[in-house]
Amino acid sequence: MGNTSAIHKLYMQRCLQLAQLGAGAVAPNPMVGSVLVYNNRIIGEGYHQQYGKPHAEVNCINSVQEADKHLINQSTIYVSLEPCAHFGKTPPCADLIIHHKIPKVVVGCRDPFKEVNGKGIEKLQAAGIDVTLGILDAECKQLNKRFFTFHTKHRPYIILKWAETANRFIGTNTEERLLISSETTNRLVHKWRSEEAGILVGTNTAKLDNPSLNNRLWSGKKPVRLIIDSTLQLADSLNIFSKSQPTILFNHLKNQEEDNLYYYQLDNKKELLPQIMDACYKQNIQSILVEGGSKTLQTFIDSKLWDEARVITNTKLTIANGITSPTLKNARVVYSRMIGEERIENFSYEL
């Protein structure tokens, strides 16, 4: 059995490699990879390449060469996430596997999406197919951490981000901007922005820093701008009001929609962040990069509403006094690396 398990892990690892190729192009769908194996030989492989386009299993089966097509119904198909059982943008993959009479399916992990969640596996088993579940389960879930958080916790995956001086300040007490990050790490931050569905700041950051909140230093999709402006005090001349990408203004005064700008009214008698999380869930915003000031970031931390934190520290820069960095709680360092004189640290939330 150990040998079979090792073989399963080997092919599942390949599924994960393939799945990763869909990063940035398939959201809000998950990244999925698939391989078709006959007699320890891969005869087909594929991944979900673009949202709305064919799923991994379809691309995998379609990749089989003409000379190997007669082997499909004697092969094992590996897939990093449970095959879907519902009609979405594309037909159910479970039906495709049944149609091709593939006798064995090895699945990385179950799909938490309520339209699937076990139904794909049940459908395959009902058709007499041998299903093995839970190969590299943790790795498969980690790959789609945004998707899993969104569908199990009914909120976006939340990444906190800030840059600080060596003595832990993120800004000055004056209106003068403090440049902490280098051009290299600025590009890295723009890459991070391209990987998330939304980017959030509070009123003060929008007003004092006048950020554009786009990813102009990197390619890929621009995130939805999420701005907390309770009393709608921000001036129309600010960069966030450019119509270049969708912008949601969370406020207490009005609901309104106008050309890529959405005013979303919240109840001022209820807690702010849970309402914002609920609004993002309803808008299908699966992940948020929080780039707000110290107050906004600390509110997320104190509310235990975060999954990951990315901190850039300029190890050579100190200032006499200023705005103190947020204080992380329940945090574990996942990795740390240096880029020039800046230290990039990644933390994960742990209870």
Side-chain angles (χ1 to χ4, degrees), residues 131-150:
V131 179
T132 301
L133 177 64
I135 304 298
L136 300 185
D137 182 87
E139 291 90 334
C140 291
K141 286 175 178 167
Q142 175 64 18
L143 176 73
N144 285 305
K145 56 194 176 184
R146 295 160 180 80
F147 181 79
F148 272 82
T149 298
F150 187 77

Side-chain angles (χ1 to χ4, degrees), residues 19-141:
Q20 187 72 51
L21 298 173
V26 300
N29 279 359
M31 293 175 276
V32 185
S34 179
V35 296
L36 191 65
V37 178
Y38 173 78
N39 215 1
N40 274 344
R41 177 169 70 91
I42 292 178
I43 62 169
E45 54 180 36
Y47 65 98
H48 185 30
Q49 297 177 10
Q50 202 172 351
Y51 177 68
K53 296 288 173 68
H55 287 186
E57 299 93 322
V58 178
N59 290 330
C60 175
I61 291 167
N62 285 347
S63 77
V64 177
Q65 298 292 310
E66 200 62 46
D68 289 331
K69 283 207 161 103
H70 69 287
L71 301 174
I72 293 175
N73 63 5
Q74 303 162 60
S75 302
T76 300
I77 191 165
Y78 290 80
V79 59
S80 55
L81 188 70
E82 175 183 3
C84 59
H86 68 298
F87 279 88
K89 294 268 181 196
T90 59
C93 291
D95 290 359
L96 180 76
I97 293 166
I98 294 164
H99 169 75
H100 282 281
K101 298 185 169 62
I102 298 171
K104 290 186 177 179
V105 180
V106 180
V107 178
C109 62
R110 271 169 72 133
D111 187 333
F113 181 44
K114 63 181 188 299
E115 295 292 337
V116 186
N117 202 358
K119 293 177 187 150
I121 292 162
E122 284 168 20
K123 195 177 235 190
L124 294 169
Q125 288 173 331
I129 292 168
D130 178 0
V131 179
T132 301
L133 177 64
I135 304 298
L136 300 185
D137 182 87
E139 291 90 334
C140 291
K141 286 175 178 167

Side-chain angles (χ1 to χ4, degrees), residues 241-305:
F241 290 102
S242 75
K243 304 295 169 60
S244 57
Q245 69 211 78
T247 303
I248 300 175
L249 281 136
F250 294 108
N251 70 91
H252 290 146
L253 301 175
K254 67 176 181 179
N255 274 317
Q256 196 176 311
E257 190 176 317
E258 52 182 68
D259 191 23
N260 248 3
L261 191 59
Y262 308 88
Y263 292 86
Y264 197 105
Q265 188 173 3
L266 303 175
D267 187 339
N268 62 2
K269 295 185 180 67
K270 293 180 180 173
E271 271 190 85
L272 185 74
L273 291 189
Q275 291 186 81
I276 291 174
M277 294 301 103
D278 188 52
C280 289
Y281 181 70
K282 285 173 180 162
Q283 299 293 321
N284 211 14
I285 296 169
Q286 280 192 9
S287 62
I288 297 174
L289 188 64
V290 181
E291 284 200 39
S294 196
K295 183 182 166 191
T296 300
L297 288 159
Q298 197 64 54
T299 306
F300 272 91
I301 294 165
D302 294 344
S303 304
K304 298 177 181 173
L305 265 176

